[in-house]
Amino acid sequence: MQNIVTDRLILRNFAATDAAGLLEYTANPRVNCFMDHQMSTLEEAVAEVEKRSKDDSHIAVCLKNSNEIIGELFGMTEGHDPDSDSESKSNSDSKSDPDTYSVGWNFNGRFEGKGYASESARAFMEYLFMEQGIRRIYAYVEDDNFRSQKLCEKLGMRKEGLFLEFISFVKNEDGTPKYENTYQYAILKKEWLAQQATAK
């Protein structure tokens, strides 16, 4: 993808130099949804960076003045799973909606509280709406992930609904799946444009 530059950040494809930074924030996931992506060695991070460097669905968020990676944005059009070997979801009959885009983020806690997540996500949303022709952007957020809920609201996204026991990322002590209650947030391009006009 083309680099996206903001006042303080650069959004770009992953590069080999990002391995140590990726390991730093994936070694101890702060929310359950990232447990499947947990890494424990630099070798794992090097391999993952190599994979992501060829994948536009994972975007490295880096400090503009040092190129240090501080987190990532990720997303996909409806019906596309970037972690799959095929170009579709595990259910090959899934409907594809190329103008609908799912987004998410994962940031290093060391850089929290500086507004980097909102700055990068705003720039990414503008890119999707204005350059990629996306009509609707949505995000799933677990009901105990208050930081991400606050970020969605800050980005002007609507809370569309709550899915009870929607998905499982970890197991309970007895080995049964622990199901997460999950909010869905979304914003339409026309809503985003109206917000931009009001902000000027």
Side-chain angles (χ1 to χ4, degrees):
M1 64 166 280
Q2 67 185 51
N3 288 358
I4 301 172
V5 181
T6 70
D7 289 343
R8 302 179 294 169
L9 304 169
I10 297 176
L11 282 58
R12 57 164 175 75
N13 286 111
F14 274 80
T17 53
D18 297 327
L22 177 65
L23 178 61
E24 184 176 342
Y25 68 84
T26 56
N28 296 291
R30 297 190 293 163
V31 291
N32 288 340
C33 63
F34 295 119
M35 291 302 295
D36 283 347
H37 303 284
Q38 185 175 23
M39 299 176 206
S40 56
T41 68
L42 184 59
E43 288 74 20
E44 287 179 290
V46 168
E48 183 63 21
V49 162
E50 170 65 19
K51 176 182 172 184
R52 294 187 185 189
S53 68
K54 302 165 185 161
D55 181 3
D56 287 349
S57 66
H58 288 275
I59 300 163
V61 179
C62 308
L63 295 176
K64 191 176 182 179
N65 61 3
S66 66
N67 202 34
E68 178 182 6
I69 186 170
I70 62 170
E72 66 187 90
L73 300 171
F74 49 88
M76 69 195 86
T77 54
E78 187 80 352
H80 171 63
D81 182 357
D83 293 323
S84 172
D85 290 335
S86 67
E87 289 300 310
S88 63
K89 287 184 177 179
S90 56
N91 178 359
S92 59
D93 294 327
S94 295
K95 180 181 177 183
S96 178
D97 293 313
D99 66 352
T100 299
Y101 207 87
S102 170
V103 298
W105 37 77
N106 188 12
F107 282 86
N108 188 327
R110 187 159 57 89
F111 298 94
E112 192 171 289
K114 302 178 186 296
Y116 291 139
S118 58
E119 183 175 332
S120 59
R122 280 198 184 99
F124 188 41
M125 288 171 64
E126 180 176 1
Y127 167 74
L128 291 173
F129 282 137
M130 303 306 292
E131 302 294 332
Q132 298 298 305
I134 298 301
R135 178 187 61 86
R136 180 176 180 271
I137 294 172
Y138 71 95
Y140 289 129
V141 182
E142 283 63 55
D143 66 350
D144 59 353
N145 188 348
F146 303 113
R147 286 186 298 265
S148 281
Q149 291 172 35
K150 183 177 179 181
L151 176 57
C152 285
E153 292 162 5
K154 194 172 184 179
L155 294 170
M157 303 178 84
R158 288 173 287 100
K159 186 185 287 183
E160 292 192 322
L162 173 62
F163 301 98
L164 297 178
E165 298 189 9
F166 182 62
I167 194 168
S168 174
F169 301 105
V170 297
K171 295 185 182 301
N172 293 306
E173 290 183 6
D174 63 1
T176 59
K178 177 184 178 182
Y179 287 99
E180 309 274 353
N181 296 331
T182 304
Y183 287 112
Q184 179 169 290
Y185 287 83
I187 186 169
L188 299 171
K189 181 177 181 179
K190 62 184 179 182
E191 294 174 318
W192 181 83
L193 287 171
Q195 291 174 9
Q196 304 313 301
T198 303
K200 291 180 180 179

